[in-house]
Amino acid sequence: MSQYYDMGDETLWNPSTGASRLFLRQVAVFEEELSLPSGIGPMEADECQIDPAVLGVFANALLARHRQTHHAVVRALSEGFVLTLLALAERADIEVHWESPRPTPAAELRDTQIPVTACSPVGEKQGAWGVELHRKVQELDRSMAR
């Protein structure tokens, strides 16, 4: 069995039921973490509709949160979901802001691990981090059935 993630008449993703169930549970977790709706509608009769405007806001907030997280475990736990959601957003032709619009002041950092490791995108590494994350999204996109 599989399920369909549609935007209008276009199917953006057709994962197995198990992968879809896991993804939807993570959607709920990150909607709560970000205090934002995802734009991914309820799964009914193995289909759900995606609102691209709402998904765009959610995807960019998720990416910003992921970028600002300097905790290695939090980053590792969330990266798979982030990659999957961003691949879905790109399929919906949503503009994703890969580059940080401004440096994050230390006072605004969330989930900081001491010591901050090399996995943290800071300073000049920020641009390279966005490029590498985008490469991973594109790689995952090739594995996501339509």
Side-chain angles (χ1 to χ4, degrees), residues 42-58:
M43 188 62 66
E44 297 173 346
D46 292 328
E47 296 179 359
C48 78
Q49 281 293 318
I50 295 174
D51 180 330
V54 177
L55 182 64
V57 171
F58 183 78

Side-chain angles (χ1 to χ4, degrees), residues 47-74:
E47 296 179 359
C48 78
Q49 281 293 318
I50 295 174
D51 180 330
V54 177
L55 182 64
V57 171
F58 183 78
N60 281 294
L62 180 67
L63 179 57
R65 166 82 186 267
H66 191 63
R67 178 187 300 116
Q68 294 170 357
T69 300
H70 293 263
H71 193 290
V73 174
V74 172

Side-chain angles (χ1 to χ4, degrees), residues 32-48:
E32 187 172 330
E33 284 293 310
L34 297 171
S35 298
L36 288 172
S38 65
I40 298 173
M43 188 62 66
E44 297 173 346
D46 292 328
E47 296 179 359
C48 78

Side-chain angles (χ1 to χ4, degrees), residues 58-127:
F58 183 78
N60 281 294
L62 180 67
L63 179 57
R65 166 82 186 267
H66 191 63
R67 178 187 300 116
Q68 294 170 357
T69 300
H70 293 263
H71 193 290
V73 174
V74 172
R75 184 177 294 273
L77 287 170
S78 63
E79 186 167 283
F81 175 75
V82 170
L83 294 174
T84 305
L85 192 284
L86 292 174
L88 196 58
E90 285 202 333
R91 286 183 176 187
D93 290 325
I94 291 168
E95 183 180 352
V96 176
H97 305 292
W98 295 101
E99 299 300 322
S100 178
R102 60 178 174 76
T104 304
E108 292 181 24
L109 293 177
R110 296 174 53 129
D111 297 323
T112 301
Q113 174 178 315
I114 305 298
V116 176
T117 66
C119 74
S120 301
V122 294
E124 293 184 24
K125 292 182 183 179
Q126 181 69 28

